[in-house]
Amino acid sequence: MHTAYSNPDPAKTDQLDGLRFFAFAAVFFFHFQPSPEYSSVLMFQKQGWVGVEVFFALSAFLLFRLFEQEQRRNGRISFSRFYARRLLRIYPLMILFPIAMLLAYGAQGAEAYGWLLSLASFVSNYLYWFPEKARSITNTGHLWTLSYEFQIYLVLPMLFLTYRAIGTRAFMLALLCVLPVCFLGRASFALSGMSVQWVYVTPMLRPESTVAGLLVALGLGRNLPIPVVSIAFLASCAGLVLLPDMHTQLGSVFVYLTAAIFTGSLLHLALYAKAFAQLLRWRPLAYLGRISFGLYVFHLWAFVEGMSLLRMTPIPENYATRCLAGMSLCIVAATVSYYLLERPILRLKPRAQSAKITVGSPPISASIARAVGSVE
């Protein structure tokens, strides 16, 4: 019996746009390290990589819920419509941006066209086992996460069908049983002296945050008191700061479990903690979350060019003003991209077929339908 959605979830999801912007902001600051005198900022800036984990958890959560509601409406889910929508959402900007960088700055190495092909074929995360390959096209190294995410998309529909076949409890148990296997896989890499980079970019070795998003979607911990979840969130924050860094062999084994607790508890609080949800619904944050895909794609380029523009003004240059200039230019570029490229293409997405709606079936909320349009 499928019990995860036997009653419509009382939690709204429009606040997840705001959460998506916070995830992007963490990644933005992670990529731009302050000078040593900002020691307190540096301690937290180094953990900004966890913003990518939040993106992974959000995608898993939202897409699984969308599958469930499509199943209720239509009696089935459409694989072809799902993949068409995903490709239309991420592919145009994901390909046009590196081509633009190649034309603007030229190839930085002989591997440039191989890197472009790896992006086009969604295998760039594996080529990123060797990060120097990604530097062959300026400002595009971070796009490996889109390949990682698309590989998650390849398995999500099958996971959903498995869930429908075996039921919620058995499916949750199966997900939890996967984690020790992945943990041992990471430990084998560490003991073999393999690069921690290989673990970081390989989905099967560190799926914890994706699993956390699925478990929240299935209702695990839904009835936990907010103070308990808040304690788990704060403990995971402390763990990310105090435990060995993800770039160390020991850290690469343990840190993804901590990151999963962080992402799962943060997602839970966004859904069920009213004050936090209200903050995330603030209209400027919600808007920035809606354009977060463009923000993510452009942010390395925007930081460099924003710094160049800053130097043309009388404003003093320091870490804060460089970040502000880069963020401002990034928002402008993402806004232009959203309205001139992304939204027109999104109108080409195949629409859900009209279907018989059974009594008690909850509609697919506009916030969920819109939210799954964003990736990172």
Side-chain angles (χ1 to χ4, degrees):
M1 179 179 179
H2 305 284
T3 59
Y5 298 97
S6 56
N7 295 306
D9 193 328
K12 297 180 180 180
T13 57
D14 52 342
Q15 65 269 41
L16 298 185
D17 281 333
L19 183 60
R20 185 176 285 106
F21 174 71
F22 277 123
F24 160 73
V27 175
F28 181 91
F29 289 109
F30 173 68
H31 283 145
F32 309 116
Q33 183 173 318
S35 52
E37 62 265 25
Y38 294 91
S39 56
S40 57
V41 175
L42 186 61
M43 179 175 62
F44 293 99
Q45 176 269 340
K46 291 172 61 178
Q47 312 309 321
W49 66 274
V50 81
V52 171
E53 305 300 297
V54 177
F55 281 129
F56 293 157
L58 275 170
S59 289
F61 170 81
L62 289 164
L63 290 170
F64 224 69
R65 286 189 57 158
L66 191 67
F67 284 148
E68 178 66 25
Q69 295 185 47
E70 183 182 356
Q71 178 74 32
R72 285 179 176 273
R73 287 172 63 92
N74 299 340
R76 64 184 182 87
I77 62 171
S78 170
F79 280 41
S80 60
R81 188 163 58 244
F82 170 71
Y83 288 118
R85 290 171 65 90
R86 293 294 86 211
L87 286 170
L88 285 170
R89 181 64 187 101
I90 68 175
Y91 207 72
L93 184 57
M94 183 189 76
I95 295 302
L96 289 176
F97 177 72
I99 291 175
M101 292 296 99
L102 191 57
L103 293 174
Y105 299 100
Q108 305 303 306
E111 306 91 349
Y113 295 100
W115 174 247
L116 181 62
L117 182 59
S118 75
L119 290 169
S121 56
F122 293 110
V123 296
S124 59
N125 56 320
Y126 299 115
L127 196 57
Y128 202 71
W129 285 346
F130 311 98
E132 67 276 6
K133 307 297 183 185
R135 289 192 282 270
S136 58
I137 300 181
T138 302
N139 301 320
T140 64
H142 61 301
L143 299 183
W144 69 266
T145 60
L146 303 182
S147 295
Y148 182 113
E149 185 132 2
F150 192 80
Q151 289 157 27
I152 294 174
Y153 296 160
L154 291 178
V155 300
L156 273 182
M158 298 305 299
L159 288 177
F160 178 77
L161 294 180
T162 301
Y163 148 69
R164 294 290 300 180
I166 67 177
T168 305
R169 290 183 180 179
F171 184 71
M172 284 185 178
L173 181 61
L175 286 178
L176 292 173
C177 287
V178 165
L179 301 184
V181 176
C182 298
F183 178 86
L184 292 175
R186 294 198 300 273
S188 71
F189 268 59
L191 292 171
S192 302
M194 307 295 282
S195 170
V196 297
Q197 181 76 14
W198 293 14
V199 172
Y200 183 47
V201 300
T202 306
M204 68 186 71
L205 291 175
R206 35 82 104 246
E208 280 87 345
S209 291
T210 300
V211 170
L214 293 177
L215 291 175
V216 174
L218 292 167
L220 182 66
R222 178 180 297 174
N223 297 320
L224 284 175
I226 294 299
V228 172
V229 180
S230 300
I231 291 171
F233 174 71
L234 293 174
S236 66
C237 290
L240 289 170
V241 172
L242 299 175
L243 290 175
D245 186 82
M246 62 169 289
H247 295 101
T248 65
Q249 295 289 353
L250 185 61
S252 70
V253 176
F254 290 96
V255 74
Y256 299 107
L257 293 170
T258 308
I261 296 172
F262 175 90
T263 56
S265 57
L266 181 62
L267 181 55
H268 186 283
L269 292 172
L271 291 168
Y272 302 109
K274 293 181 179 179
F276 186 40
Q278 191 61 35
L279 170 65
L280 295 175
R281 291 190 184 104
W282 186 43
R283 292 184 67 179
L285 282 182
Y287 169 74
L288 292 172
R290 285 196 293 275
I291 65 169
S292 61
F293 180 47
L295 292 175
Y296 183 80
V297 170
F298 293 125
H299 76 278
L300 294 183
W301 166 84
F303 189 86
V304 174
E305 296 303 323
M307 190 162 51
S308 298
L309 292 174
L310 177 65
R311 289 169 180 165
M312 298 169 61
T313 73
I315 300 173
E317 183 180 338
N318 54 48
Y319 179 69
T321 57
R322 287 197 298 269
C323 285
L324 182 60
M327 181 68 80
S328 299
L329 180 59
C330 191
I331 291 171
V332 171
T335 297
V336 172
S337 171
Y338 183 71
Y339 284 103
L340 296 186
L341 175 67
E342 296 167 62
R343 283 225 311 189
I345 290 175
L346 289 177
R347 296 192 185 102
L348 301 176
K349 282 178 161 184
R351 303 294 180 183
Q353 299 173 352
S354 59
K356 178 181 178 182
I357 302 178
T358 59
V359 175
S361 296
I364 298 178
S365 70
S367 59
I368 292 178
R370 182 181 66 247
V372 296
S374 297
V375 182
E376 311 206 350

